[in-house]
Amino acid sequence: MRFLHTSDWHLGRSFHRVSLLDAQRAFLDHLVDTVRAERVDAVLVAGDVYDRAVPPLSAVELFDDVLHRLADLDVPTVMISGNHDSARRLGVGARVMGRSGIHLRTDPASCHRPVVLTDEHGDVAVYGLPYLEPALAREEFAADRADHTAVLGAAMDRIRADLAERPAGTRSVVLAHAFVTGAAPCASERDITAGGVEAVPAGVFDGVDYVALGHLHGCQTLTERDATGEPLAEGQGRIRYSGSPLAYSFSEEHHRKSMWLVGLGPEGAIDAERVDTPVPRALARIRGRLDDLIADPALDRHEDAWVEATLTDPFRPHEPMAALAKRFPHVLSLAFEPETGDDDPLASYARRLRGRSDQQIAEDFVAHVRGSAPAAHESATLSAAFDAVRADTVRTERA
């Protein structure tokens, strides 16, 4: 059976105020063409269909159009909600759409009820596990803790219990939206830390033939080993992120954007290959003094790219964006990092906070104003506060 695994469409998102609507439409055209050309048996969409809980009308129209086109091809589509989606909104009409082969899985309580597909080798049970906000999902799954590992583990226990009741030889696929330990994140993904931890171990998904993941924007396969302890070949790994089909931040400059075309063999063996997606425009990060950036011939290759420029001039130049735009007409982002010592007290606030979580920033603030780091119980209180705010945000979006 052949699956096309994709995720993180983020319909409605822009790139530094530049609309990506045409690029997203081109991607969806490419997806439908791939389904037709590769004789795909089912499409798997692992969450973050939209970029925000209440998407713009133009994004909804794109979504509506691609669902009709997939249904017209008579190819089943299984789709889950991600942490950017409003699960309730995305799931409207799910039962009616299911009759047309569009299976929306947005209700955590139904994660153990698969879409069952069949080929000449028997059944394939496809389970859709939507993004689980730990503080909200803990009660549903009677998890012992409000963190990602606990709620995902409890949900997977339900899935494995259902799978155990199915005929011998039934193959299994799980769609999930999570950050799995060992995967590589980038700067454009929304933080989902809960209980001080955002990642879950790959072992949570034990017992499943293929795991179609969403959330991280880089296409990747989690390293797994065979019975002898040797790493599996690139095309054989069973736990994969498709990544986003388009770049959504300059941190994705070196990503190769693609989808996974996955073959699931009669014994559950995986054979996967990447299908590249259309690139609307290359990304480039350039750094240096303004005059050097304007004159350096080595930067000719970036003149048609979307550009993020970091200026290192000791003093802010006059109208630098206008000067850069004469050579790089698609420059979108400008930052200043003067060439000063690391101990410069005037170093930018953003630079000092780069790569630090909300929890770390809060703890640093406590240490700064009080002269000592927070105690363990104070760190726990801060963590609980951040979790409560995130859970309240999800509740508000759902309402």
Side-chain angles (χ1 to χ4, degrees):
M1 187 169 290
R2 288 161 67 81
F3 298 100
L4 189 63
H5 167 197
T6 177
S7 73
D8 295 272
W9 295 354
H10 289 279
L11 299 180
R13 187 162 178 165
S14 60
F15 188 82
H16 290 267
R17 299 177 300 281
V18 173
S19 172
L20 291 177
L21 192 67
D22 288 342
Q24 290 174 333
R25 182 180 294 108
F27 158 68
L28 295 175
D29 288 344
H30 176 67
L31 181 146
V32 172
D33 290 342
T34 301
V35 170
R36 184 185 297 109
E38 298 292 344
R39 303 174 66 88
V40 168
D41 295 302
V43 177
L44 312 177
V45 186
D48 281 355
V49 174
Y50 292 121
D51 189 56
R52 55 183 185 266
V54 184
L57 179 60
S58 56
V60 177
E61 290 173 339
L62 272 184
F63 179 64
D64 180 66
D65 178 67
V66 75
L67 292 190
H68 278 86
R69 294 165 70 189
L70 290 170
D72 288 344
L73 290 175
D74 199 25
V75 174
T77 297
V78 184
M79 182 178 297
I80 62 172
S81 49
N83 61 301
H84 278 250
D85 299 307
S86 166
R88 291 288 295 275
R89 289 187 176 92
L90 186 65
V92 168
R95 284 179 291 180
V96 173
M97 291 188 205
R99 299 171 191 167
S100 299
I102 305 297
H103 304 279
L104 301 175
R105 294 295 188 261
T106 62
D107 180 8
S110 302
C111 68
H112 61 292
R113 298 172 189 155
V115 177
V116 179
L117 308 175
T118 304
D119 64 10
E120 65 270 27
H121 304 294
D123 290 347
V124 179
V126 182
Y127 298 90
L129 182 53
Y131 172 70
L132 303 177
E133 178 60 45
L136 303 182
R138 179 182 183 179
E139 183 177 351
E140 167 61 36
F141 294 104
D144 56 357
R145 305 181 311 279
D147 63 33
H148 290 289
T149 300
V151 296
L152 265 174
M156 283 301 303
D157 285 344
R158 284 191 188 179
I159 289 172
R160 281 185 285 263
D162 177 83
L163 187 59
E165 296 295 321
R166 296 189 174 273
T170 298
R171 290 159 291 165
S172 55
V173 174
V174 167
L175 285 74
H177 197 86
F179 182 5
V180 179
T181 303
C186 64
S188 57
E189 299 124 4
R190 182 183 292 174
D191 178 36
I192 58 170
T193 302
V197 179
E198 62 179 344
V200 301
V204 164
F205 299 106
D206 284 351
V208 176
D209 293 313
Y210 184 73
V211 182
L213 293 173
H215 180 55
L216 300 187
H217 288 187
C219 180
Q220 54 196 294
T221 304
L222 273 67
T223 301
E224 296 182 276
R225 299 182 182 275
D226 62 20
T228 67
E230 291 298 316
L232 294 175
E234 169 65 19
Q236 297 176 341
R238 69 184 182 93
I239 304 178
R240 297 172 183 267
Y241 285 95
S242 69
S244 60
L246 299 170
Y248 291 117
S249 79
F250 280 101
S251 66
E252 301 174 49
E253 175 190 9
H254 299 298
H255 285 188
R256 173 188 163 195
K257 296 302 182 180
S258 57
M259 303 176 283
W260 285 113
L261 184 60
V262 182
L264 182 63
E267 303 297 328
I270 298 298
D271 180 16
E273 60 180 291
R274 292 175 73 170
V275 178
D276 292 338
T277 55
V279 178
R281 193 178 296 278
L283 306 184
R285 282 172 150 174
I286 60 176
R287 179 185 180 88
R289 297 194 176 200
L290 178 61
D291 290 343
D292 295 337
L293 296 180
I294 292 173
D296 187 355
L299 301 180
D300 288 351
R301 67 188 189 279
H302 299 317
E303 290 180 353
D304 194 44
W306 279 323
V307 170
E308 177 188 75
T310 300
L311 300 185
T312 60
D313 300 72
F315 301 99
R316 188 178 296 244
H318 177 66
E319 296 187 350
M321 199 68 162
L324 283 168
K326 291 179 180 178
R327 182 178 186 188
F328 307 103
H330 304 289
V331 60
L332 299 180
S333 176
L334 185 62
F336 296 92
E337 293 187 7
E339 294 170 335
T340 57
D342 292 338
D343 58 348
D344 183 359
L346 299 180
S348 75
Y349 185 65
R351 195 166 98 195
R352 285 183 281 126
L353 298 186
R354 185 175 300 150
R356 303 187 67 74
S357 68
D358 290 343
Q359 178 85 15
Q360 291 170 322
I361 293 169
E363 292 183 358
D364 287 349
F365 177 76
V366 172
H368 173 72
V369 299
R370 195 172 64 185
S372 61
H377 72 278
E378 294 172 321
S379 292
T381 299
L382 286 169
S383 178
F386 284 121
D387 291 348
V389 169
R390 183 169 42 253
D392 186 62
T393 299
V394 174
R395 290 189 187 97
T396 301
E397 288 179 347
R398 289 182 174 181

